[in-house]
Amino acid sequence: MADQDRSHDSAGQRLSTGEAADRLGVKPETVYAYVSRGQLTSHRSPGGRGSTFDAKEVEALARRGSRREPSTAASELAVRTGITLIDRAHCYFRGVDTAELAARYDYEEVAEWLWTGELHRGMRFTAPPDVLSAACRAVQALPEHSGPMDRLRLAVVAAAAADPLRFDLSEEAVLDTARALIPTLVGALPAQTPDPPRTEALASRLWSRLTPSPTDAASLHALNAALVLLIDHDLAASTLAVRVAASARAHPYAILSAGFGALDGPLHGAASGLAHRMLVEVLERGSAAAVVADHLRAGRHIPGLGHPLYPGEDPRARALFGLLEDVPQAQSALQAAREVITTTARQTELHANVDLALAVLTVSAGMPVEAGETVFAVARTAGWIAHALEEYGEPPLRMRPSGQYNGPRPPQPLP
């Protein structure tokens, strides 16, 4: 058959559907799905009975690692990325252990390295005055009961409106936007203490937005480490939302809005707040056993324990716990967290995740219950930008799965 034989035309070597499928490691039907998503172009020769595909285009698609079969289970969706590797007891950014990065570098230094591959010691991100002013005015107009996620979401929208060049998706333009937007988000949050000098690292500026308590070197180091550790964690729900938006060529502000939308929930960004409340209750009642018993009796999950990607302790939690050991005011919260872990272990084998470690930090620093979510959201913006940069380099609209219709079969009568 014509579709089973290799053919040639004036454009160069052509592959049949079967050959293209073999090269990509997918089924023939998937090849046509790539065509519908704009990832491949097909050509039907006059009189031919099958489509042919440019061999170079197929090879390029294979090199990008875009091969995957459509799946009936969303959990089987796979997207190749060079940003984060999760390997049982470790988490790596571009092959480097995140715990080592968090111990040695500032958040801005790691973010810049993640985006560009270059490490610049002393890197500082600065918010443009006009963009920061627009974000602050918008945030100040919110009702008093508005939470930090409300403020961050609105700050992104206001910053976008103040940037007429936001649709420039060139790599350098996206990087300039990211370097300006992250400190804008922090600067738009209500200040609890006077702002530190602009030469200070982002962690210091964020601390002044989270608590009126004075800082110290060990506490600030722990907050900076938390920011680094939370930059990315593979294709979490918010990151997938970001990549879908970037696939549609949304500008950086819009992709952050997509990420914040997915982040704003108890199963993702707000999980640390549940752990914060639990630790406060343990400290108030003086017993982890009583608090854990209440959760178990009510059929609730114990906050801050267990992670589907790690069989043991979350390595991010391990790294942050280690740094909190050097913070004197964190010792009571650390002890409460340990009691929760050991008490729960009598019933089920669950290990600490990063939300519990982040809760120890926020409780010990006198931060509000939403502070962990704020740290998570600010930190993750750098990872979202890294994923957007990757996705901007892929064919547009490739993140378009096919729906499996299970409704009434047509024709149906008019309602």
Side-chain angles (χ1 to χ4, degrees), residues 295-318:
H295 277 78
L296 295 176
R297 187 178 300 116
R300 295 192 302 264
H301 174 73
I302 309 300
L305 298 183
H307 197 291
L309 298 182
Y310 299 110
E313 186 178 36
D314 184 335
R316 301 169 300 169
R318 184 168 60 248

PDB file of all heavy atoms in Angstrom, residues 295-318:
ATOM      1  N   HIS A 295      -8.282  14.606  64.584  1.00  0.00           N
ATOM      2  CA  HIS A 295      -8.264  14.499  63.120  1.00  0.00           C
ATOM      3  C   HIS A 295      -8.688  13.097  62.683  1.00  0.00           C
ATOM      4  O   HIS A 295      -9.498  12.944  61.759  1.00  0.00           O
ATOM      5  CB  HIS A 295      -6.865  14.813  62.580  1.00  0.00           C
ATOM      6  CG  HIS A 295      -6.590  16.278  62.420  1.00  0.00           C
ATOM      7  ND1 HIS A 295      -6.266  17.089  63.485  1.00  0.00           N
ATOM      8  CD2 HIS A 295      -6.593  17.077  61.319  1.00  0.00           C
ATOM      9  CE1 HIS A 295      -6.070  18.330  63.045  1.00  0.00           C
ATOM     10  NE2 HIS A 295      -6.263  18.338  61.744  1.00  0.00           N
ATOM     11  N   LEU A 296      -8.143  12.091  63.335  1.00  0.00           N
ATOM     12  CA  LEU A 296      -8.469  10.717  62.959  1.00  0.00           C
ATOM     13  C   LEU A 296      -9.937  10.403  63.243  1.00  0.00           C
ATOM     14  O   LEU A 296     -10.608   9.738  62.443  1.00  0.00           O
ATOM     15  CB  LEU A 296      -7.559   9.743  63.710  1.00  0.00           C
ATOM     16  CG  LEU A 296      -6.061   9.822  63.380  1.00  0.00           C
ATOM     17  CD1 LEU A 296      -5.270   8.880  64.270  1.00  0.00           C
ATOM     18  CD2 LEU A 296      -5.813   9.485  61.905  1.00  0.00           C
ATOM     19  N   ARG A 297     -10.430  10.897  64.364  1.00  0.00           N
ATOM     20  CA  ARG A 297     -11.830  10.639  64.726  1.00  0.00           C
ATOM     21  C   ARG A 297     -12.776  11.266  63.708  1.00  0.00           C
ATOM     22  O   ARG A 297     -13.835  10.717  63.401  1.00  0.00           O
ATOM     23  CB  ARG A 297     -12.100  11.187  66.127  1.00  0.00           C
ATOM     24  CG  ARG A 297     -13.480  10.812  66.672  1.00  0.00           C
ATOM     25  CD  ARG A 297     -13.673  11.352  68.086  1.00  0.00           C
ATOM     26  NE  ARG A 297     -12.650  10.806  69.000  1.00  0.00           N
ATOM     27  CZ  ARG A 297     -11.734  11.543  69.615  1.00  0.00           C
ATOM     28  NH1 ARG A 297     -11.687  12.847  69.404  1.00  0.00           N
ATOM     29  NH2 ARG A 297     -10.871  10.985  70.439  1.00  0.00           N
ATOM     30  N   ALA A 298     -12.396  12.427  63.191  1.00  0.00           N
ATOM     31  CA  ALA A 298     -13.237  13.119  62.210  1.00  0.00           C
ATOM     32  C   ALA A 298     -12.998  12.619  60.785  1.00  0.00           C
ATOM     33  O   ALA A 298     -13.641  13.089  59.852  1.00  0.00           O
ATOM     34  CB  ALA A 298     -12.974  14.624  62.279  1.00  0.00           C
ATOM     35  N   GLY A 299     -12.078  11.670  60.621  1.00  0.00           N
ATOM     36  CA  GLY A 299     -11.794  11.137  59.297  1.00  0.00           C
ATOM     37  C   GLY A 299     -11.002  12.088  58.422  1.00  0.00           C
ATOM     38  O   GLY A 299     -11.032  11.978  57.189  1.00  0.00           O
ATOM     39  N   ARG A 300     -10.268  13.025  59.060  1.00  0.00           N
ATOM     40  CA  ARG A 300      -9.496  14.002  58.302  1.00  0.00           C
ATOM     41  C   ARG A 300      -8.051  13.536  58.141  1.00  0.00           C
ATOM     42  O   ARG A 300      -7.492  12.868  59.001  1.00  0.00           O
ATOM     43  CB  ARG A 300      -9.512  15.363  58.998  1.00  0.00           C
ATOM     44  CG  ARG A 300     -10.875  16.015  59.083  1.00  0.00           C
ATOM     45  CD  ARG A 300     -10.741  17.480  59.509  1.00  0.00           C
ATOM     46  NE  ARG A 300     -10.076  17.614  60.791  1.00  0.00           N
ATOM     47  CZ  ARG A 300     -10.709  17.730  61.955  1.00  0.00           C
ATOM     48  NH1 ARG A 300     -12.044  17.693  61.994  1.00  0.00           N
ATOM     49  NH2 ARG A 300     -10.037  17.865  63.093  1.00  0.00           N
ATOM     50  N   HIS A 301      -7.459  13.929  57.033  1.00  0.00           N
ATOM     51  CA  HIS A 301      -6.040  13.675  56.797  1.00  0.00           C
ATOM     52  C   HIS A 301      -5.215  14.527  57.755  1.00  0.00           C
ATOM     53  O   HIS A 301      -5.590  15.660  58.059  1.00  0.00           O
ATOM     54  CB  HIS A 301      -5.696  14.017  55.346  1.00  0.00           C
ATOM     55  CG  HIS A 301      -4.236  13.941  55.030  1.00  0.00           C
ATOM     56  ND1 HIS A 301      -3.572  12.739  54.914  1.00  0.00           N
ATOM     57  CD2 HIS A 301      -3.313  14.913  54.816  1.00  0.00           C
ATOM     58  CE1 HIS A 301      -2.303  12.979  54.637  1.00  0.00           C
ATOM     59  NE2 HIS A 301      -2.121  14.283  54.572  1.00  0.00           N
ATOM     60  N   ILE A 302      -4.106  14.003  58.232  1.00  0.00           N
ATOM     61  CA  ILE A 302      -3.213  14.771  59.108  1.00  0.00           C
ATOM     62  C   ILE A 302      -2.414  15.739  58.247  1.00  0.00           C
ATOM     63  O   ILE A 302      -1.630  15.311  57.397  1.00  0.00           O
ATOM     64  CB  ILE A 302      -2.257  13.858  59.894  1.00  0.00           C
ATOM     65  CG1 ILE A 302      -3.032  12.744  60.608  1.00  0.00           C
ATOM     66  CG2 ILE A 302      -1.455  14.680  60.899  1.00  0.00           C
ATOM     67  CD1 ILE A 302      -4.044  13.226  61.600  1.00  0.00           C
ATOM     68  N   PRO A 303      -2.590  17.044  58.412  1.00  0.00           N
ATOM     69  CA  PRO A 303      -1.873  18.012  57.569  1.00  0.00           C
ATOM     70  C   PRO A 303      -0.359  17.872  57.692  1.00  0.00           C
ATOM     71  O   PRO A 303       0.171  17.583  58.767  1.00  0.00           O
ATOM     72  CB  PRO A 303      -2.342  19.369  58.106  1.00  0.00           C
ATOM     73  CG  PRO A 303      -3.634  19.092  58.808  1.00  0.00           C
ATOM     74  CD  PRO A 303      -3.477  17.713  59.377  1.00  0.00           C
ATOM     75  N   GLY A 304       0.326  18.099  56.583  1.00  0.00           N
ATOM     76  CA  GLY A 304       1.785  18.107  56.594  1.00  0.00           C
ATOM     77  C   GLY A 304       2.438  16.750  56.553  1.00  0.00           C
ATOM     78  O   GLY A 304       3.669  16.655  56.664  1.00  0.00           O
ATOM     79  N   LEU A 305       1.656  15.686  56.368  1.00  0.00           N
ATOM     80  CA  LEU A 305       2.222  14.337  56.332  1.00  0.00           C
ATOM     81  C   LEU A 305       1.859  13.650  55.023  1.00  0.00           C
ATOM     82  O   LEU A 305       0.731  13.746  54.544  1.00  0.00           O
ATOM     83  CB  LEU A 305       1.706  13.504  57.503  1.00  0.00           C
ATOM     84  CG  LEU A 305       2.043  13.979  58.912  1.00  0.00           C
ATOM     85  CD1 LEU A 305       1.511  12.994  59.938  1.00  0.00           C
ATOM     86  CD2 LEU A 305       3.545  14.170  59.080  1.00  0.00           C
ATOM     87  N   GLY A 306       2.854  12.930  54.472  1.00  0.00           N
ATOM     88  CA  GLY A 306       2.629  12.146  53.272  1.00  0.00           C
ATOM     89  C   GLY A 306       2.794  12.952  51.996  1.00  0.00           C
ATOM     90  O   GLY A 306       2.416  14.124  51.932  1.00  0.00           O
ATOM     91  N   HIS A 307       3.396  12.324  51.001  1.00  0.00           N
ATOM     92  CA  HIS A 307       3.516  12.926  49.670  1.00  0.00           C
ATOM     93  C   HIS A 307       3.562  11.802  48.657  1.00  0.00           C
ATOM     94  O   HIS A 307       4.349  10.857  48.792  1.00  0.00           O
ATOM     95  CB  HIS A 307       4.774  13.791  49.558  1.00  0.00           C
ATOM     96  CG  HIS A 307       4.737  14.728  48.396  1.00  0.00           C
ATOM     97  ND1 HIS A 307       4.818  14.292  47.086  1.00  0.00           N
ATOM     98  CD2 HIS A 307       4.598  16.076  48.328  1.00  0.00           C
ATOM     99  CE1 HIS A 307       4.747  15.334  46.276  1.00  0.00           C
ATOM    100  NE2 HIS A 307       4.610  16.430  47.001  1.00  0.00           N
ATOM    101  N   PRO A 308       2.734  11.856  47.617  1.00  0.00           N
ATOM    102  CA  PRO A 308       2.674  10.741  46.659  1.00  0.00           C
ATOM    103  C   PRO A 308       3.949  10.501  45.886  1.00  0.00           C
ATOM    104  O   PRO A 308       4.150   9.406  45.356  1.00  0.00           O
ATOM    105  CB  PRO A 308       1.526  11.152  45.721  1.00  0.00           C
ATOM    106  CG  PRO A 308       1.411  12.637  45.866  1.00  0.00           C
ATOM    107  CD  PRO A 308       1.759  12.920  47.286  1.00  0.00           C
ATOM    108  N   LEU A 309       4.833  11.494  45.828  1.00  0.00           N
ATOM    109  CA  LEU A 309       6.061  11.337  45.041  1.00  0.00           C
ATOM    110  C   LEU A 309       7.254  10.862  45.852  1.00  0.00           C
ATOM    111  O   LEU A 309       8.309  10.580  45.290  1.00  0.00           O
ATOM    112  CB  LEU A 309       6.414  12.670  44.351  1.00  0.00           C
ATOM    113  CG  LEU A 309       5.378  13.194  43.352  1.00  0.00           C
ATOM    114  CD1 LEU A 309       5.874  14.487  42.709  1.00  0.00           C
ATOM    115  CD2 LEU A 309       5.062  12.157  42.281  1.00  0.00           C
ATOM    116  N   TYR A 310       7.098  10.778  47.181  1.00  0.00           N
ATOM    117  CA  TYR A 310       8.221  10.355  48.028  1.00  0.00           C
ATOM    118  C   TYR A 310       7.795   9.206  48.928  1.00  0.00           C
ATOM    119  O   TYR A 310       6.832   9.339  49.691  1.00  0.00           O
ATOM    120  CB  TYR A 310       8.699  11.524  48.898  1.00  0.00           C
ATOM    121  CG  TYR A 310       9.197  12.710  48.114  1.00  0.00           C
ATOM    122  CD1 TYR A 310       8.476  13.902  48.085  1.00  0.00           C
ATOM    123  CD2 TYR A 310      10.383  12.648  47.383  1.00  0.00           C
ATOM    124  CE1 TYR A 310       8.926  14.997  47.366  1.00  0.00           C
ATOM    125  CE2 TYR A 310      10.837  13.729  46.652  1.00  0.00           C
ATOM    126  CZ  TYR A 310      10.107  14.910  46.648  1.00  0.00           C
ATOM    127  OH  TYR A 310      10.548  15.980  45.928  1.00  0.00           O
ATOM    128  N   PRO A 311       8.495   8.078  48.872  1.00  0.00           N
ATOM    129  CA  PRO A 311       8.163   6.956  49.765  1.00  0.00           C
ATOM    130  C   PRO A 311       8.517   7.242  51.214  1.00  0.00           C
ATOM    131  O   PRO A 311       7.944   6.663  52.135  1.00  0.00           O
ATOM    132  CB  PRO A 311       8.995   5.799  49.199  1.00  0.00           C
ATOM    133  CG  PRO A 311      10.138   6.457  48.490  1.00  0.00           C
ATOM    134  CD  PRO A 311       9.588   7.743  47.936  1.00  0.00           C
ATOM    135  N   GLY A 312       9.484   8.139  51.433  1.00  0.00           N
ATOM    136  CA  GLY A 312       9.887   8.512  52.784  1.00  0.00           C
ATOM    137  C   GLY A 312       9.654   9.982  53.019  1.00  0.00           C
ATOM    138  O   GLY A 312       8.719  10.576  52.489  1.00  0.00           O
ATOM    139  N   GLU A 313      10.516  10.590  53.811  1.00  0.00           N
ATOM    140  CA  GLU A 313      10.372  12.001  54.131  1.00  0.00           C
ATOM    141  C   GLU A 313      10.632  12.859  52.899  1.00  0.00           C
ATOM    142  O   GLU A 313      11.540  12.591  52.103  1.00  0.00           O
ATOM    143  CB  GLU A 313      11.350  12.386  55.248  1.00  0.00           C
ATOM    144  CG  GLU A 313      11.179  13.810  55.754  1.00  0.00           C
ATOM    145  CD  GLU A 313      12.136  14.146  56.888  1.00  0.00           C
ATOM    146  OE1 GLU A 313      13.296  13.657  56.852  1.00  0.00           O
ATOM    147  OE2 GLU A 313      11.741  14.879  57.813  1.00  0.00           O
ATOM    148  N   ASP A 314       9.841  13.882  52.723  1.00  0.00           N
ATOM    149  CA  ASP A 314      10.024  14.863  51.651  1.00  0.00           C
ATOM    150  C   ASP A 314      11.407  15.501  51.835  1.00  0.00           C
ATOM    151  O   ASP A 314      11.689  16.063  52.899  1.00  0.00           O
ATOM    152  CB  ASP A 314       8.912  15.906  51.767  1.00  0.00           C
ATOM    153  CG  ASP A 314       8.920  16.947  50.657  1.00  0.00           C
ATOM    154  OD1 ASP A 314       9.977  17.199  50.064  1.00  0.00           O
ATOM    155  OD2 ASP A 314       7.837  17.525  50.404  1.00  0.00           O
ATOM    156  N   PRO A 315      12.290  15.429  50.837  1.00  0.00           N
ATOM    157  CA  PRO A 315      13.636  15.989  51.015  1.00  0.00           C
ATOM    158  C   PRO A 315      13.628  17.488  51.264  1.00  0.00           C
ATOM    159  O   PRO A 315      14.537  18.021  51.911  1.00  0.00           O
ATOM    160  CB  PRO A 315      14.350  15.635  49.702  1.00  0.00           C
ATOM    161  CG  PRO A 315      13.248  15.421  48.709  1.00  0.00           C
ATOM    162  CD  PRO A 315      12.122  14.830  49.492  1.00  0.00           C
ATOM    163  N   ARG A 316      12.607  18.178  50.771  1.00  0.00           N
ATOM    164  CA  ARG A 316      12.505  19.619  51.028  1.00  0.00           C
ATOM    165  C   ARG A 316      12.219  19.869  52.501  1.00  0.00           C
ATOM    166  O   ARG A 316      12.746  20.816  53.100  1.00  0.00           O
ATOM    167  CB  ARG A 316      11.412  20.221  50.148  1.00  0.00           C
ATOM    168  CG  ARG A 316      11.657  20.027  48.647  1.00  0.00           C
ATOM    169  CD  ARG A 316      10.422  20.392  47.835  1.00  0.00           C
ATOM    170  NE  ARG A 316       9.278  19.545  48.213  1.00  0.00           N
ATOM    171  CZ  ARG A 316       8.021  19.774  47.814  1.00  0.00           C
ATOM    172  NH1 ARG A 316       7.751  20.815  47.050  1.00  0.00           N
ATOM    173  NH2 ARG A 316       7.053  18.967  48.188  1.00  0.00           N
ATOM    174  N   ALA A 317      11.380  19.011  53.090  1.00  0.00           N
ATOM    175  CA  ALA A 317      11.110  19.126  54.530  1.00  0.00           C
ATOM    176  C   ALA A 317      12.372  18.841  55.331  1.00  0.00           C
ATOM    177  O   ALA A 317      12.686  19.554  56.299  1.00  0.00           O
ATOM    178  CB  ALA A 317       9.997  18.158  54.928  1.00  0.00           C
ATOM    179  N   ARG A 318      13.098  17.810  54.929  1.00  0.00           N
ATOM    180  CA  ARG A 318      14.327  17.446  55.639  1.00  0.00           C
ATOM    181  C   ARG A 318      15.316  18.613  55.638  1.00  0.00           C
ATOM    182  O   ARG A 318      15.918  18.944  56.669  1.00  0.00           O
ATOM    183  CB  ARG A 318      14.945  16.209  54.993  1.00  0.00           C
ATOM    184  CG  ARG A 318      16.189  15.694  55.716  1.00  0.00           C
ATOM    185  CD  ARG A 318      16.583  14.320  55.201  1.00  0.00           C
ATOM    186  NE  ARG A 318      16.895  14.314  53.765  1.00  0.00           N
ATOM    187  CZ  ARG A 318      16.160  13.705  52.844  1.00  0.00           C
ATOM    188  NH1 ARG A 318      15.064  13.039  53.183  1.00  0.00           N
ATOM    189  NH2 ARG A 318      16.510  13.741  51.566  1.00  0.00           N
TER     190      ARG A 318
END
